[in-house]
Amino acid sequence: MFIALLLSVRIISILSITEEDFDLVFVQALWRHGNRAAQYPYLNDKFAENDWNSIGSGIGQLTYKGVRQHIDLGESIRKRYIESGFLPEIFDEEVVVFRSTNRNRTILSAKANFLGMYPKKNGEEIKLPIIVLENYGNDCINNVMCKCPRRDILQNLAKDLDEYKEVVEDQSTISLFSKLSKVAGETIHAENFWRLPDTLRCEKQNFPDSFEQRTPCYSEELLEEMEALNTKINRFTSGLYASPEKPNRLDIGKEIRKLRCGPLISDIFGRMLQKLDCIYFQNRAGRSSGCSEKTWKMKYYAYSSHDMTLYSLLTAMGLEDLTSMEIGSWPSYASSLFVELFIRKQDKNPYFRIIYRNPSSSYAPTEFFNLTPLIPKCHESSFCHLNILENVFKEFNIGMPIWRHGDRSPDGHLNNDPVDPMRWIKGGGGYGQLTPEGMEQQFILGKKLRDLYIETGFLHNFYDSQQIYIRSTDVNRTINSAISNMLGMFSSSSSRPGVDYPDIEGWPRGFMPVPIHSSGPANQDCVANAFCSCKRRNALLEIAHEGEQFQNYIHSEPYIRITSQVSELFNNTFTWDNLWKVHDAVMIQLIHFPEAVHNQSWFSENFFEELEELERPSKAFVSGLYDPPIVKGINVRREILKTRGGSLINDISGRMRTKSTCARNSLKCDSYHENLKYFAYSTHDHTVYALLAILGLESIVDGPEKYGEWPDYASDILIELFHNSTDRSPYFRILYQKNINHTFEVITPQIKKCEHRQFCSLNVFEHYAKEFRPDRPIQEFCQTPPGEDNRIATWINNNLLRRTEPSSASYNFEINLISLILLLIIT
């Protein structure tokens, strides 16, 4: 049945798409070393070191058979990638790169593989490649058994799982361990059991003529029994446990798989993205400025590794059952995987394909077998879009959210208002409250975020207070937006009665109260509220208004006409800084009480459009977006943005830097920051806009033709932090959703200093944070008039530049950096 399924899926996929539609641009190979000697002979073993020396180099070493296997593999690789013209006929160490774990058998396998790819010709001397090596215990990319205390703890916890106990505590297992202990002359248990079938298997393969004579205890039935048990234990080691039986139980298997699969997947995917950067964003010099010479030239990267490492990649892709018919259910000697990166000719989109080679396999119909149709989310296609691999990769990233609240009632009452204040009863009643429509918008947004971060395995399926922190301004509509958003993220299907909420009659089923934090009154919260009280900002605006751009605006015919009209209509004085109140009220009334507005003699579509066109520049001005930015010698754009978004971007930047430090060195990370993965800001349109403006992204809200427009209800920015395992550096990516009717789009390439890259160095984000960092604590900064803000410059001027006598005093300047942690999503 399994063989038939493989063949039918392959036939269907081949008919749907052809290789001619794609250009191969990069290949990453991963193979297991060749045939080796036993690693841990048992005490009563009759085979000695000298026996293994005769066919190789001793215990645990590659045998001559293993060398031949990898020469054969190299020859097959040559036919596939060199003779086809993809790789150069003559070895180029910048194009073809080899990496190996620091073990003789994998290093020698890599060298033998190379000899198959590039055989000696005409008596020429062969120059072997430089093989990249890492310390074996610390190489968590190529060695799934690297030092990892967290994995060890999880493996110990797994011993308490019922499915584990059912296997190792079964009477037949206990009886087998007892029998094998007598044979081996040492105690055999679940942790060291694998060594015995491994040893017997190696001896039988390499000494077929004398094996049974030297091993009188051996029988085919006994070996089959051992192999069956070994397969089950190997799957447990790989984290292949069923889902938790109880909803409040940690998914131990999934956490183990993350630790075993994550570093390798991140390394492979990160290198693919670097290659795509080089391909997509070429300049006249032949490549993008962010593309290194090394990445530009490299076309083939090979990992010489172990069976467990190959299996971890298969497990990550949902292909763990592929090798179920092989010994121990892990890939056999010299089996290999090839992750191929393609560009589709028609639309230039990236695709990947995973190829498996194991000539000893009984079910692979060809030497190189395309596994891609078997990947669950590739839908039986021979080529799979790269975003499927990205979803696997995203299980190992770190993220933060910030969102705008949902639909609300108007902020206040207008004189001659067409809607009676008593009609605003939604969401608790009154002005500025989140409406049921706004709650629904945030609920939908929460479900989208669930798909991005929970369904992919990045966050737990239930609310975990150690992973998630939600911060809101101290305003009803943002607090209720956060509550609604969390309901969408943690729906009733994942909530656990009696664990997350009381299992009692009357309590809403599935409602888990998630704590929403605030930081004092909204007018004092300059991190989440861009309109916090700030005398300095007011003074800067007064200076900015002396500039030519603003003066032209307030003296324009539309400005004079519209402000005069609305001032008369609503019996109040309206200018550039409060005109938004009229537009805001009319816009919301058109949503909730359209008949009341349309019945007004003053209302027309043309009137509202003119009001909107005039109000939009005022939003840009209050945000600090003046052009030119210099007025009276002051960069009013930068200084105003410091007061509006400077605290927020530095709050985000510091948190990401701390989290990045945790990823590199857990010893420098406290438990709070180590566990935190999702930090959300529930805030306002002007706050989201201020952050976009700092990053130079303000035009994405509604396009350049509507410059100054603020984000819509439930708009969302996601700022994601990644750790690149290739260069061991942190990167960020930003996604934006205009509203719930739109999808999230990656906008990082639009950041000027990111040079069109989807994943951008965290140094770039920190550059913007530094440029717009308030010059002193924000509350003090907001009390400092423009011109008096540079304390160091003033001190130097007063104490050094004006001195006529040298001072013998010593001066100590201390810079304090407060680092925080998280992934940001701004909605």
Side-chain angles (χ1 to χ4, degrees):
M1 176 65 76
F2 184 62
I3 299 173
L5 175 62
L6 282 173
L7 291 172
S8 63
V9 167
R10 181 171 174 79
I11 291 170
I12 292 171
S13 64
I14 288 176
L15 291 174
S16 63
I17 199 166
T18 64
E19 193 157 347
E20 287 71 26
D21 296 324
F22 297 88
D23 287 324
L24 178 64
V25 295
F26 191 49
V27 175
Q28 294 180 84
L30 175 68
W31 58 64
R32 184 189 179 189
H33 56 76
N35 181 282
R36 59 159 169 79
Q39 294 187 78
Y40 300 98
Y42 53 95
L43 189 62
N44 292 338
D45 199 340
K46 302 301 181 182
F47 288 89
E49 181 85 18
N50 287 337
D51 293 304
W52 294 110
N53 287 335
S54 67
I55 62 169
S57 303
I59 300 297
Q61 303 300 311
L62 197 69
T63 64
Y64 298 136
K65 183 185 295 186
V67 172
R68 182 68 256 175
Q69 288 173 332
H70 265 283
I71 291 176
D72 290 344
L73 174 58
E75 290 174 348
S76 295
I77 294 172
R78 176 179 179 81
K79 292 177 183 178
R80 184 175 181 86
Y81 297 116
I82 297 177
E83 293 181 4
S84 66
F86 176 68
L87 294 179
E89 182 69 28
I90 299 175
F91 173 64
D92 184 339
E93 62 183 9
E94 294 183 308
V95 177
V96 177
V97 179
F98 290 84
R99 170 179 180 162
S100 172
T101 57
N102 198 5
R103 285 290 184 267
N104 285 348
R105 58 183 177 273
T106 53
I107 295 171
L108 292 175
S109 291
K111 291 180 178 180
N113 193 288
F114 170 80
L115 292 174
M117 288 181 69
Y118 292 98
K120 185 176 181 180
K121 293 183 178 180
N122 302 324
E124 65 182 6
E125 183 179 352
I126 293 180
K127 180 183 178 182
L128 291 173
I130 297 174
I131 298 176
V132 180
L133 298 174
E134 297 284 343
N135 179 279
Y136 186 75
N138 297 328
D139 185 6
C140 293
I141 293 173
N142 215 10
N143 172 26
V144 298
M145 294 307 292
C146 65
K147 295 176 183 177
C148 183
R150 176 176 172 81
R151 186 191 62 242
D152 296 340
I153 292 172
L154 289 167
Q155 295 284 14
N156 284 328
L157 290 174
K159 294 176 182 178
D160 290 329
L161 295 177
D162 291 341
E163 57 186 305
Y164 181 85
K165 291 180 178 179
E166 287 174 4
V167 172
V168 299
E169 295 181 4
D170 183 80
Q171 188 57 48
S172 61
T173 302
I174 295 173
S175 175
L176 178 62
F177 286 166
S178 177
K179 182 193 302 184
L180 295 176
S181 296
K182 294 177 182 177
V183 171
E186 56 186 285
T187 302
I188 301 298
H189 48 75
E191 282 72 32
N192 69 356
F193 161 71
W194 70 271
R195 298 177 177 180
L196 197 57
D198 176 80
T199 298
L200 294 175
R201 189 189 315 127
C202 290
E203 292 172 348
K204 183 181 180 183
Q205 288 174 347
N206 289 285
F207 303 101
D209 296 335
S210 60
F211 172 68
E212 293 190 19
Q213 180 182 353
R214 295 200 205 182
T215 316
C217 65
Y218 169 80
S219 69
E220 286 292 338
E221 293 76 15
L222 177 62
L223 187 58
E224 287 178 5
E225 185 180 3
M226 284 193 289
E227 294 291 15
L229 177 60
N230 193 37
T231 294
K232 294 178 181 179
I233 294 178
N234 283 347
R235 290 177 67 86
F236 290 149
T237 302
S238 300
L240 294 174
Y241 294 93
S243 299
E245 298 173 6
K246 299 179 181 178
N248 62 332
R249 174 173 284 175
L250 174 69
D251 193 337
I252 295 173
K254 188 172 185 178
E255 295 301 313
I256 291 173
R257 294 196 299 274
K258 283 184 180 182
L259 294 171
R260 291 171 68 92
C261 307
L264 177 62
I265 283 287
S266 297
D267 198 56
I268 291 173
F269 183 68
R271 195 173 289 108
M272 294 168 88
L273 292 180
Q274 291 175 353
K275 191 66 179 180
L276 288 175
D277 272 348
C278 291
I279 295 169
Y280 284 150
F281 307 113
Q282 298 179 12
N283 59 19
R284 293 179 182 177
R287 62 178 185 274
S288 68
S289 59
C291 173
S292 68
E293 184 82 13
K294 177 181 177 181
T295 303
W296 174 251
K297 292 185 176 181
M298 188 192 306
K299 298 182 71 175
Y300 180 90
Y301 190 99
Y303 303 80
S304 188
S305 191
H306 306 268
D307 48 3
M308 293 180 289
T309 308
L310 265 73
Y311 197 63
S312 75
L313 180 58
L314 291 171
T315 300
M317 302 307 299
L319 299 172
E320 60 272 9
D321 292 330
L322 176 75
T323 57
S324 60
M325 300 175 70
E326 298 181 23
I327 297 175
S329 83
W330 280 352
S332 54
Y333 294 132
S335 54
S336 52
L337 291 166
F338 300 85
V339 184
E340 300 176 331
L341 176 64
F342 293 86
I343 299 295
R344 189 174 182 178
K345 296 175 182 177
Q346 179 183 3
D347 51 20
K348 304 302 180 184
N349 281 330
Y351 285 74
F352 74 96
R353 187 168 66 175
I354 297 183
I355 304 297
Y356 184 57
R357 181 192 183 276
N358 182 4
S360 65
S361 173
S362 61
Y363 57 81
T366 62
E367 189 177 29
F368 287 95
F369 177 64
N370 186 4
L371 299 179
T372 320
L374 303 177
I375 298 173
K377 293 187 179 181
C378 289
H379 306 297
E380 302 182 355
S381 175
S382 294
F383 296 83
C384 195
H385 198 282
L386 193 62
N387 60 17
I388 300 300
L389 188 60
E390 180 183 359
N391 289 337
V392 179
F393 170 56
K394 284 171 70 173
E395 295 186 20
F396 313 104
N397 70 356
I398 168 77
M400 287 184 271
I402 306 173
W403 55 73
R404 184 193 176 189
H405 57 74
D407 179 271
R408 59 163 170 81
S409 57
D411 248 11
H413 181 68
L414 298 174
N415 296 328
N416 302 325
D417 201 316
V419 179
D420 190 299
M422 299 301 294
R423 298 183 69 181
W424 294 107
I425 60 174
K426 292 183 176 181
Y431 289 114
Q433 304 304 308
L434 192 71
T435 64
E437 291 85 350
M439 298 173 195
E440 180 183 5
Q441 289 167 344
Q442 282 293 334
F443 181 81
I444 293 172
L445 175 58
K447 292 182 77 66
K448 287 186 174 184
L449 296 174
R450 177 183 179 85
D451 290 340
L452 284 172
Y453 299 112
I454 295 178
E455 297 301 334
T456 58
F458 175 62
L459 297 174
H460 287 156
N461 195 39
F462 50 88
Y463 167 68
D464 184 338
S465 64
Q466 295 184 75
Q467 285 191 341
I468 293 176
Y469 188 97
I470 311 299
R471 173 175 177 172
S472 170
T473 55
D474 193 16
V475 178
N476 283 359
R477 60 181 174 271
T478 53
I479 294 173
N480 281 340
S481 288
I483 293 172
S484 304
N485 191 287
M486 289 297 99
L487 276 172
M489 280 192 72
F490 301 103
S491 58
S492 58
S493 62
S494 61
S495 297
R496 304 164 296 184
V499 177
D500 294 325
Y501 59 87
D503 189 9
I504 58 175
E505 183 178 353
W507 188 277
R509 304 302 292 178
F511 174 63
M512 163 62 186
V514 176
I516 310 299
H517 304 268
S518 65
S519 183
N523 66 350
Q524 297 178 23
D525 183 2
C526 292
V527 172
N529 178 20
F531 267 136
C532 66
S533 178
C534 189
K535 293 180 181 179
R536 178 185 177 84
R537 185 190 311 123
N538 297 336
L540 287 165
L541 287 170
E542 290 181 7
I543 294 172
H545 295 165
E546 297 182 36
E548 182 179 357
Q549 185 189 24
F550 185 81
Q551 289 297 312
N552 289 339
Y553 169 70
I554 63 172
H555 289 101
S556 66
E557 185 277 332
Y559 178 86
I560 295 172
R561 176 168 50 83
I562 296 295
T563 53
S564 298
Q565 184 180 357
V566 297
S567 295
E568 182 179 350
L569 283 174
F570 299 107
N571 194 25
N572 200 351
T573 302
F574 288 98
T575 61
W576 76 276
D577 63 340
N578 64 351
L579 190 64
W580 69 271
K581 293 184 178 180
V582 178
H583 177 265
D584 179 79
V586 174
M587 179 188 69
I588 295 173
Q589 290 164 358
L590 284 170
I591 295 173
H592 295 278
F593 302 104
E595 74 289 345
V597 179
H598 285 288
N599 287 335
Q600 302 301 309
S601 60
W602 50 261
F603 179 79
S604 69
E605 294 295 336
N606 184 62
F607 165 79
F608 188 69
E609 287 177 5
E610 285 193 311
L611 177 62
E612 195 168 48
E613 286 296 320
L614 186 66
E615 189 252 356
R616 196 175 296 118
S618 72
K619 290 180 177 177
F621 290 142
V622 78
S623 301
L625 303 184
Y626 294 89
D627 187 19
I630 308 298
V631 180
K632 297 183 70 173
I634 296 177
N635 189 328
V636 292
R637 179 187 180 107
R638 183 177 64 229
E639 294 304 315
I640 291 172
L641 282 173
K642 281 184 180 180
T643 69
R644 292 182 61 80
S647 296
L648 176 60
I649 192 172
N650 279 277
D651 193 57
I652 297 166
S653 177
R655 193 169 287 112
M656 288 201 292
R657 176 52 63 185
T658 302
K659 189 64 180 181
S660 174
T661 301
C662 288
R664 292 196 308 270
N665 189 345
S666 60
L667 297 178
K668 294 184 178 181
C669 186
D670 58 69
S671 59
Y672 169 76
H673 292 106
E674 181 179 8
N675 294 320
L676 184 62
K677 300 180 75 173
Y678 185 92
F679 191 110
Y681 299 81
S682 185
T683 182
H684 308 267
D685 48 5
H686 49 78
T687 307
V688 175
Y689 191 70
L691 182 59
L692 289 172
I694 283 176
L695 296 170
L697 298 172
E698 64 272 13
S699 293
I700 70 165
V701 174
D702 228 354
E705 66 280 2
K706 291 188 176 181
Y707 189 80
E709 189 64 59
W710 283 354
D712 202 355
Y713 292 135
S715 55
D716 190 20
I717 303 175
L718 310 179
I719 303 179
E720 301 176 329
L721 175 66
F722 295 85
H723 187 263
N724 188 315
S725 299
T726 302
D727 60 16
R728 302 181 184 278
S729 298
Y731 289 77
F732 74 96
R733 183 176 68 169
I734 301 182
L735 297 87
Y736 181 69
Q737 174 195 264
K738 184 175 181 180
N739 54 48
I740 58 168
N741 297 318
H742 288 71
T743 58
F744 282 102
E745 296 182 359
V746 177
I747 60 174
T748 329
Q750 299 182 45
I751 298 175
K752 184 176 180 181
K753 292 185 179 296
C754 289
E755 299 177 327
H756 308 291
R757 293 190 293 270
Q758 285 201 31
F759 293 84
C760 189
S761 172
L762 186 58
N763 292 334
V764 172
F765 196 89
E766 291 176 331
H767 165 82
Y768 286 101
K770 183 179 180 180
E771 181 180 356
F772 293 94
R773 180 180 297 139
D775 299 333
R776 58 186 75 182
I778 187 62
Q779 299 302 332
E780 181 183 346
F781 188 59
C782 275
Q783 296 299 319
T784 305
E788 299 180 12
D789 49 303
N790 196 326
R791 292 181 294 174
I792 293 179
T794 302
W795 184 88
I796 291 175
N797 184 59
N798 292 336
N799 295 278
L800 293 181
L801 298 183
R802 294 182 182 177
R803 286 177 181 266
T804 57
E805 297 294 330
S807 173
S808 60
S810 62
Y811 304 99
N812 179 33
F813 297 93
E814 180 179 354
I815 299 176
N816 294 315
L817 174 63
I818 301 176
S819 294
L820 305 174
I821 159 181
L822 81 89
L823 161 88
L824 175 69
I825 302 166
I826 304 178
T827 30

